[in-house]
């Protein structure tokens, strides 16, 4: 039987809100929103061509949401969308020099958040957590 006091949905929701507040605090001192910061970190950590569809899949967001975020990032001078020679429909997302100035800070924020989030949790416990989360995502 499901407990309404202690259930996976409630705990994941609470953790998600805490993470979002923490990410909002990081981005409040910069030129981008927390959602844009997450995309920026994704782009900074990859060394391959990235397209809007990759971002949609990584963050489980709808195409319209990704379009709005990317347009704002383009307007803020963080990214450019450039056509690729092999498919006129595709636009490769590239970072601008302005975005690259945030590289060290974004990496620092990621490490700090991950360190705080996993403090006191063993590697074995983390592996179990990842396995359970992957199963839950597959279930949905």
């Amino acid at each position: 039987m499901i407990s309404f006091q202690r259930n996976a949905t409630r705990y994941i929701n609470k953790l998600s809100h805490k993470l979002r507040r923490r990410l909002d605090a990081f981005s409040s001192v910069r030129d981008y929103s927390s959602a844009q910061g997450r995309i920026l970190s994704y782009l900074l950590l990859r060394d391959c061509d990235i397209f809007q569809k990759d971002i949609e899949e990584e963050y489980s967001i709808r195409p319209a949401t990704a379009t709005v975020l990317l347009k704002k990032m383009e307007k803020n001078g963080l990214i450019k969308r450039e056509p690729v020679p092999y498919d006129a429909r595709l636009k490769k997302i590239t970072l601008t020099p302005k975005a690259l100035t945030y590289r060290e800070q974004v990496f620092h924020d990621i490490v700090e958040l991950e360190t705080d989030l996993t403090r006191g949790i063993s590697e074995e416990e983390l592996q179990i957590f990842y396995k359970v989360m992957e199963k839950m995502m597959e279930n949905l």
Side-chain angles (χ1 to χ4, degrees):
M1 181 168 163
I2 295 176
S3 164
F4 290 106
Q5 296 301 317
R6 189 170 186 179
N7 61 70
T9 304
R10 183 169 173 257
Y11 276 77
I12 291 168
N13 192 38
K14 287 174 76 170
L15 179 60
S16 175
H17 285 290
K18 286 179 179 248
L19 283 169
R20 187 162 288 123
R21 279 194 296 274
R22 184 75 173 274
L23 291 168
D24 286 345
F26 286 150
S27 65
S28 68
V29 295
R30 296 186 192 82
D31 294 337
Y32 51 82
S33 69
S34 60
Q36 292 173 15
R38 286 190 295 276
I39 292 173
L40 184 59
S41 66
Y42 176 78
L43 294 169
L44 286 166
L45 292 169
R46 303 298 180 284
D47 61 352
C48 59
D49 288 349
I50 298 174
F51 302 93
Q52 179 172 324
K53 185 162 185 58
D54 299 318
I55 291 168
E56 293 166 10
E57 290 173 4
E58 176 68 19
Y59 293 101
S60 299
I61 58 176
R62 294 186 174 116
T65 303
T67 298
V68 169
L69 278 168
L70 293 172
K71 280 184 180 179
K72 286 181 183 176
M73 291 179 76
E74 201 165 21
K75 184 180 177 188
N76 290 344
L78 297 171
I79 64 164
K80 290 188 287 186
R81 290 186 277 184
E82 303 171 340
V84 291
Y86 53 88
D87 189 339
R89 297 168 296 172
L90 290 177
K91 300 269 192 271
K92 177 173 66 168
I93 300 166
T94 58
L95 294 166
T96 64
K98 178 181 178 180
L100 295 174
T101 66
Y102 292 116
R103 179 186 299 271
E104 292 305 316
Q105 189 60 54
V106 166
F107 290 164
H108 175 269
D109 292 348
I110 292 169
V111 169
E112 181 182 326
L113 179 58
E114 189 71 14
T115 301
D116 289 348
L117 187 63
T118 59
R119 185 177 296 117
I121 301 172
S122 71
E123 186 59 34
E124 181 181 341
E125 290 170 319
L126 278 175
Q127 293 308 314
I128 293 168
F129 168 78
Y130 296 139
K131 187 174 184 177
V132 169
M133 291 301 294
E134 286 167 2
K135 283 183 180 181
M136 287 180 170
M137 288 187 288
E138 285 173 14
N139 289 344
L140 296 177

